[in-house]
């Protein structure tokens, strides 16, 4: 058990989010819950458990921190690494458990606390807290000539995806016959009124995006996305796995 890590995490939460630990269960006096002040939702839980409950290859007692992630791909990626596990006692949604024994660096734990705080915040608070995100969005050459869209300009209007806001980054995946990520763009504006419906395609709002980078058609192909990054479909806006994001940048 790493009491130092537990104390550091508690102090980080108290200082940054003004949230004191709440000890709710007499049977588990070491279990500490951290809540939002407005909606009273939990954004973090520290528990002291037997290591075998999350990792059959380890023994002894360990403090763990449960936090919620917004991106299921990020969750799946993290639990493949040492020190991260599917949410103990909170298996629904995107909760994960982080071992507070030094396996995961303190700075990385803090980053995930920040993500968990945002993921469980009220809608009003989320708008204030929301940091720029990266998205993978599809484009269908059948409906729009995306291959030549940036020939004469670096800024175009595009169908707005759910959850995307100003300053987010979008990577445009071009469908067959290209089947590859072709562009990295920054979102300059959202919620531009638009009303279009034809051949099963409906567009109710647009976003303005600016080209930041082009990729060759053979760099990030669909086959590579499947094999190397576990991306098996791009049917709508979705998060970008950390390993893929690092290469795209």
């Amino acid at each position: 058990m790493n009491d130092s890590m537990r104390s550091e995490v508690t102090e980080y939460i108290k200082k940054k989010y003004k949230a004191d630990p709440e000890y709710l269960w007499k049977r588990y006096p070491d279990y500490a819950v951290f809540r939002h002040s407005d909606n009273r939702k939990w954004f973090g839980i520290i528990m002291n458990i037997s290591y075998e409950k999350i990792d059959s290859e380890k023994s002894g007692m360990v403090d763990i921190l449960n936090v919620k992630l917004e991106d299921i791909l990020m969750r799946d990626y993290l639990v493949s690494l040492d020190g991260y596990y599917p949410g103990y006692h909170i298996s629904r949604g995107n909760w994960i458990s982080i071992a507070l024994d030094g396996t995961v660096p303190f700075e990385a734990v803090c980053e995930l606390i920040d993500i968990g705080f945002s993921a469980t915040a009220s809608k009003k608070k989320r708008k204030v807290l929301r940091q720029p995100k990266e998205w993978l969005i599809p484009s269908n050459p059948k409906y729009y000539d995306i291959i030549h869209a940036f020939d004469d300009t670096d800024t175009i209007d595009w169908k707005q995806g759910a959850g995307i806001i100003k300053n987010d980054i979008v990577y445009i995946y071009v469908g067959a016959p290209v089947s590859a990520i072709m562009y990295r763009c920054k979102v300059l504006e959202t919620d531009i009124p638009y009303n279009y419906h034809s051949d099963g395609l409906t567009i109710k709002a647009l976003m303005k995006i600016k080209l930041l980078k082009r990729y060759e058609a053979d760099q990030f192909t669909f086959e590579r996305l499947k094999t190397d990054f576990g991306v098996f479909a791009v049917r709508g806006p979705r998060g970008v796995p950390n390993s893929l994001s690092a290469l795209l940048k």
Side-chain angles (χ1 to χ4, degrees), residues 43-214:
F43 65 88
I45 312 164
I46 293 179
M47 295 179 279
N48 184 244
I49 66 171
S50 171
Y51 226 139
E52 291 93 334
K53 291 183 177 180
I54 56 173
D55 193 329
S56 61
E57 297 183 358
K58 296 186 178 181
S59 60
M61 302 297 291
V62 65
D63 283 324
I64 62 171
L65 171 69
N66 278 11
V67 296
K68 186 177 183 180
L69 305 182
E70 295 181 292
D71 187 349
I72 188 66
L73 292 178
M74 182 179 186
R75 175 190 179 278
D76 291 345
Y77 170 71
L78 287 176
V79 298
S80 70
L81 305 178
D82 289 341
Y84 301 93
Y85 303 91
Y88 175 71
H89 268 329
I90 305 183
S91 57
R92 65 186 182 278
N94 300 338
W95 287 83
I96 64 168
S97 294
I98 310 163
L100 300 182
D101 62 352
T103 304
V104 179
F106 175 67
E107 293 76 14
V109 176
C110 292
E111 290 178 6
L112 292 172
I113 291 171
D114 296 342
I115 292 173
F117 186 86
S118 175
T120 52
S122 63
K123 187 175 181 180
K124 181 178 180 180
K125 186 181 288 185
R126 282 170 65 88
K127 288 184 178 180
V128 177
L129 295 171
R130 167 77 149 73
Q131 297 297 309
K133 292 178 61 175
E134 293 184 334
W135 303 85
L136 188 57
I137 62 174
S139 64
N140 189 338
K142 173 183 175 183
Y143 297 112
Y144 186 79
D145 185 13
I146 185 63
I147 300 300
H148 299 289
F150 293 107
D151 284 355
D152 301 315
T153 180
D154 64 355
T155 304
I156 64 172
D157 290 339
W158 193 259
K159 178 184 177 181
Q160 184 171 331
I164 298 176
I165 64 173
K166 183 179 177 180
N167 293 325
D168 280 356
I169 296 296
V170 293
Y171 295 97
I172 300 179
Y173 172 84
V174 182
V178 178
S179 301
I181 296 174
M182 294 291 293
Y183 307 106
R184 180 176 191 259
C185 302
K186 182 176 182 178
V187 180
L188 302 180
E189 185 180 351
T190 59
D191 299 319
I192 301 171
Y194 197 72
N195 187 10
Y196 177 84
H197 180 79
S198 176
D199 298 328
L201 175 64
T202 299
I203 303 177
K204 296 182 179 180
L206 298 176
M207 57 184 179
K208 190 176 295 294
I209 59 177
K210 182 177 181 178
L211 178 66
L212 301 178
K213 188 174 184 178
R214 296 175 186 260

